C-alpha cells in the first residue's frame, strides 16, 4: 500500500502537532491518525486505477511531478476527511469556539454560531460515499492520467 503523505506532513499543513500518532483539533475533538492518511492515499489510487505511468520498485511514480501531484491530491483528500469529521462533531453540538451552535449542516459543511456562518472549502467536501473530493480530482485530472469517460449531450 502506497502512502503519498505522512501524518506529520498533514500536521505541518494544519499547524498542529502529532501526539502519540494522533492529530487532535482542540476545539472540536476531531482527530486524524495514520489510518486516515492511508485512506486518503487509497482514494487517490482508486481514482487512478486504470492510469498508466512508470513506477519505481515500490509502485510510486518515477516522474517527480506525478509523485508531487499524487501527494497534493492525497493532502486535499485528507483535508476533506478532516473537515468532514469536524463538521460531524459540530453537528453533534460541539462548537469551534466553545459556544452552542445555532444551526449546522453536514452536506454543505456549514455551521452558525451566534449568527455567524462558516462554510468549508467548496472543493474539500467529502462525498457521502467517501470517494475522492473534487479538489483532489482536479489535481489528478491536471496530470492527464485520468481516463474517465465523459458523455455530453
Amino acid at each position: 500500500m502506497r502512502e503519498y503523505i505522512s501524518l506529520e506532513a498533514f500536521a505541518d499543513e494544519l499547524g498542529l502537532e502529532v501526539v502519540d500518532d494522533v492529530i487532535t483539533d482542540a476545539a472540536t475533538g476531531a482527530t486524524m491518525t495514520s489510518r486516515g492518511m492511508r485512506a486518503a492515499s487509497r482514494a487517490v489510487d482508486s481514482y487512478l486505477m486504470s492510469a498508466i505511468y512508470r513506477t519505481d520498485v515500490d509502485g510510486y511514480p518515477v516522474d517527480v511531478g506525478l509523485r508531487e501531484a499524487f501527494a497534493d491530491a492525497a493532502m486535499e483528500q485528507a483535508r476533506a476527511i478532516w473537515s468532514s469529521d469536524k463538521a460531524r462533531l459540530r453537528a453533534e453540538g460541539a462548537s469551534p469556539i466553545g459556544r452552542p451552535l445555532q444551526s449546522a449542516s453536514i452536506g454543505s459543511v456549514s455551521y452558525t454560531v451566534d449568527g455567524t456562518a462558516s462554510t468549508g472549502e467548496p472543493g474539500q467536501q467529502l462525498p457521502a460515499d467517501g470517494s475522492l473530493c473534487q479538489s483532489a480530482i482536479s489535481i489528478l485530472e491536471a496530470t492527464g492520467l485520468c481516463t474517465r469517460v465523459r458523455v455530453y449531450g
Side-chain angles (χ1 to χ4, degrees):
M1 161 83 215
R2 291 179 295 275
E3 290 185 39
Y4 299 113
I5 56 171
S6 67
L7 189 61
E8 291 75 17
F10 187 64
D12 287 346
E13 183 78 14
L14 297 175
L16 298 173
E17 292 183 23
V18 178
V19 178
D20 296 328
D21 199 38
V22 177
I23 301 170
T24 304
D25 178 61
T28 63
T31 60
M32 178 66 82
T33 64
S34 295
R35 183 178 182 188
M37 298 297 101
R38 287 190 300 274
S41 293
R42 263 193 319 274
V44 169
D45 278 345
S46 177
Y47 192 79
L48 294 169
M49 191 172 295
S50 61
I52 299 171
Y53 53 92
R54 291 186 54 221
T55 63
D56 62 17
V57 295
D58 295 319
Y60 291 96
V62 172
D63 182 280
V64 174
L66 285 181
R67 196 169 188 155
E68 289 174 356
F70 291 8
D72 290 346
M75 183 67 76
E76 290 299 311
Q77 184 70 6
R79 281 181 172 279
I81 293 168
W82 176 255
S83 294
S84 177
D85 191 33
K86 287 173 54 173
R88 179 187 55 79
L89 290 167
R90 286 184 189 122
E92 291 172 358
S95 165
I97 54 177
R99 298 191 310 249
L101 290 174
Q102 289 183 352
S103 67
S105 177
I106 291 179
S108 65
V109 193
S110 67
Y111 60 91
T112 304
V113 178
D114 295 339
T116 305
S118 177
T119 304
E121 294 291 322
Q124 291 179 341
Q125 295 173 3
L126 190 66
D129 63 0
S131 61
L132 211 55
C133 67
Q134 187 57 51
S135 56
I137 290 171
S138 296
I139 291 168
L140 295 175
E141 285 182 346
T143 66
L145 290 177
C146 299
T147 57
R148 294 188 332 178
V149 174
R150 295 186 181 175
V151 178
Y152 297 96

